[in-house]
Amino acid sequence: MKNFYWDDPYLFKYCPDQIFRICIPDNEVSSVIKFCHSGACGGHFSSNKMTTKILQCGFYWLTMFKDMHAFYKTCENCQNVDIGQKVLPYDSRLHLFPGKLKSTWSGPFIVKYVYPYGAFDIENPKNGNVFKVNGHRWKAYFDNFSSENKSIGLNDPAYKG
């Protein structure tokens, strides 16, 4: 028990990276997962990426890798790819620049065919090339956001006494 620290009412775990992380009770696990995966700071990333993000936020529970993988497998947005949908595949080639390690998402590409085992064919709209990718390293691409400028007038606060 040398890796745990109790500060009433919280339990902390001292992790191998020398960071104390708060242990989340079982009844709060699902809300932490939903917030980090689907919320404003989320992005529907893979289960390992989301577990890393949760650890970086300072949270811990014993079954977090298993729970995150189970949640990812049941997420509708992460599992469904439709024909004609635009996607961004992960550019898995290692890009080294002086002093920087760079990983990128390339695209967008258009889904042409979805295979029953999780792979799909995507087309590069710039040159028409079609190639097959697995369904593990991609994100949906949304480009239908309105670009109209909205302004909100800020008035001085009115104090009522």
Side-chain angles (χ1 to χ4, degrees):
M1 294 301 265
K2 67 179 183 173
N3 293 330
F4 290 92
Y5 172 73
W6 179 264
D7 186 15
D8 197 32
Y10 302 109
L11 177 65
F12 295 90
K13 181 181 184 344
Y14 186 69
C15 295
D17 57 0
Q18 301 179 347
I19 295 176
F20 282 100
R21 292 190 170 88
I22 189 168
C23 295
I24 303 296
D26 289 341
N27 61 342
E28 294 180 12
V29 167
S30 64
S31 63
V32 170
I33 290 174
K34 285 178 188 173
F35 179 76
C36 289
H37 183 74
S38 309
C41 70
H44 293 279
F45 295 110
S46 69
S47 59
N48 289 336
K49 175 75 172 174
M50 289 309 305
T51 305
T52 303
K53 287 181 80 170
I54 290 171
L55 285 169
Q56 289 172 349
C57 290
F59 299 119
Y60 177 82
W61 65 92
L62 289 175
T63 59
M64 64 190 314
F65 284 93
K66 184 178 84 172
D67 295 343
M68 197 62 223
H69 185 71
F71 182 83
Y72 178 77
K73 285 294 194 184
T74 60
C75 178
E76 291 274 332
N77 291 339
C78 294
Q79 302 305 316
N80 293 336
V81 180
D82 298 323
I83 294 174
Q85 179 180 357
K86 291 185 178 181
V87 294
L88 298 172
Y90 183 72
D91 184 0
S92 60
R93 289 173 290 181
L94 187 61
H95 299 279
L96 291 175
F97 296 97
K100 292 184 180 182
L101 176 65
K102 183 181 177 186
S103 60
T104 60
W105 295 90
S106 60
F109 294 90
I110 300 170
V111 176
K112 287 297 181 186
Y113 183 78
V114 179
Y115 294 94
Y117 51 85
F120 47 92
D121 289 338
I122 59 175
E123 177 188 18
N124 186 344
K126 294 177 183 173
N127 58 17
N129 289 346
V130 176
F131 52 97
K132 187 185 294 187
V133 296
N134 68 20
H136 298 290
R137 306 289 304 251
W138 65 273
K139 324 192 253 195
Y141 177 76
F142 302 104
D143 63 346
N144 292 333
F145 294 109
S146 64
S147 61
E148 57 188 59
N149 294 330
K150 295 182 181 178
S151 62
I152 299 173
L154 298 176
N155 299 328
D156 290 332
Y159 296 102
K160 296 179 181 178

